[in-house]
Amino acid sequence: MGEPARARAAILALSAALAVVTFAARAGANDGAQPRVNAEAALAAEFTRRVAEYVALHNKVEDTLPKLPKDANPEQIDRHQRELGRLIMKARSTAKAGDIFTKEIRAYFRRQIAAAFAGPEGGKLKASIMDENPGAIRLAVNGRYPDSVPLATMPPQVLAELPRLPDDLEYRFIASRLILLDVHAHIIVDYIDDALPD
């Protein structure tokens, strides 16, 4: 096949692909639920991608530290945790709120969390969270979670609405803020203000 024929074939293939995309978009527009589902799935996937990037950095940093012995005592564990946190903070020296919870992902999480509280047990569920909630405390992305502040339990009803996390990370509520906590390094990875519905 000569160059002009190849060029024409490429143009035809591109036109066909655009036609398929246009058709799919129009078909989706006629289905009230499908576009929303696709958009939510895309936001969950984007969040998961950003989390995976963070975990890759976490693992890379942790691999530079001596391995903890299986019978490590509390002092050794604390020392390892603090050094890991320090190295991650250094590697993420420019980290800021919104690096993982972007504006669109924050809105998605608020919708998902609101869904968990939408049922008849919503009030009771919120009361159980606030019962253990440490209240408003100063937190910063890339900062250490305060040692004196207990971690509130995350209800399974809320976790069921949120993207699953790898073992290194957990969701926690601090007042109405949802934080993403690196449990091995004990640092705040990112957070969402006003995550709990009124």
Side-chain angles (χ1 to χ4, degrees):
M1 186 184 290
E3 288 300 324
R6 278 200 200 93
R8 281 195 299 276
I11 290 169
L12 286 171
L14 181 59
S15 298
L18 286 172
V20 169
V21 170
T22 302
F23 176 80
R26 286 177 180 162
N30 293 329
D31 180 356
Q34 195 63 31
R36 166 62 80 185
V37 170
N38 289 343
E40 301 290 62
L43 288 169
E46 175 62 14
F47 170 76
T48 299
R49 184 189 68 77
R50 289 170 181 265
V51 164
E53 287 181 355
Y54 172 82
V55 170
L57 181 144
H58 169 114
N59 292 339
K60 182 179 177 182
V61 168
E62 190 163 25
D63 285 345
T64 67
L65 292 173
K67 300 294 182 190
L68 273 172
K70 289 184 180 179
D71 58 347
N73 61 43
E75 286 182 7
Q76 289 173 308
I77 294 170
D78 183 68
R79 211 165 31 242
H80 183 272
Q81 183 189 75
R82 289 176 184 275
E83 182 61 10
L84 175 59
R86 186 187 70 77
L87 291 174
I88 291 175
M89 290 174 199
K90 184 178 178 182
R92 300 179 76 223
S93 60
T94 59
K96 61 187 182 305
D99 284 349
I100 293 178
F101 289 127
T102 65
K103 180 180 178 182
E104 294 78 11
I105 291 172
R106 288 196 300 271
Y108 161 70
F109 266 73
R110 289 188 183 110
R111 288 192 296 273
Q112 295 300 107
I113 292 168
F117 292 90
E121 298 295 312
K124 192 181 294 183
L125 178 61
K126 185 173 181 182
S128 73
I129 291 172
M130 298 311 292
D131 187 49
E132 290 186 345
N133 198 308
I137 56 174
R138 290 189 64 183
L139 296 175
V141 168
N142 231 20
R144 183 171 172 83
Y145 187 93
D147 295 315
S148 59
V149 177
L151 292 169
T153 304
M154 283 295 291
Q157 299 95 316
V158 176
L159 291 176
E161 299 291 338
L162 304 179
R164 290 189 65 181
L165 292 172
D167 292 341
D168 295 327
L169 301 176
E170 291 180 355
Y171 300 114
R172 298 288 178 169
F173 282 115
I174 301 293
S176 64
R177 177 181 285 175
L178 179 76
I179 67 168
L180 187 60
L181 177 69
D182 184 325
V183 291
H184 290 173
H186 213 59
I187 62 173
I188 311 299
V189 180
D190 205 347
Y191 61 81
I192 302 175
D193 285 325
D194 303 319
L196 275 173
D198 294 331

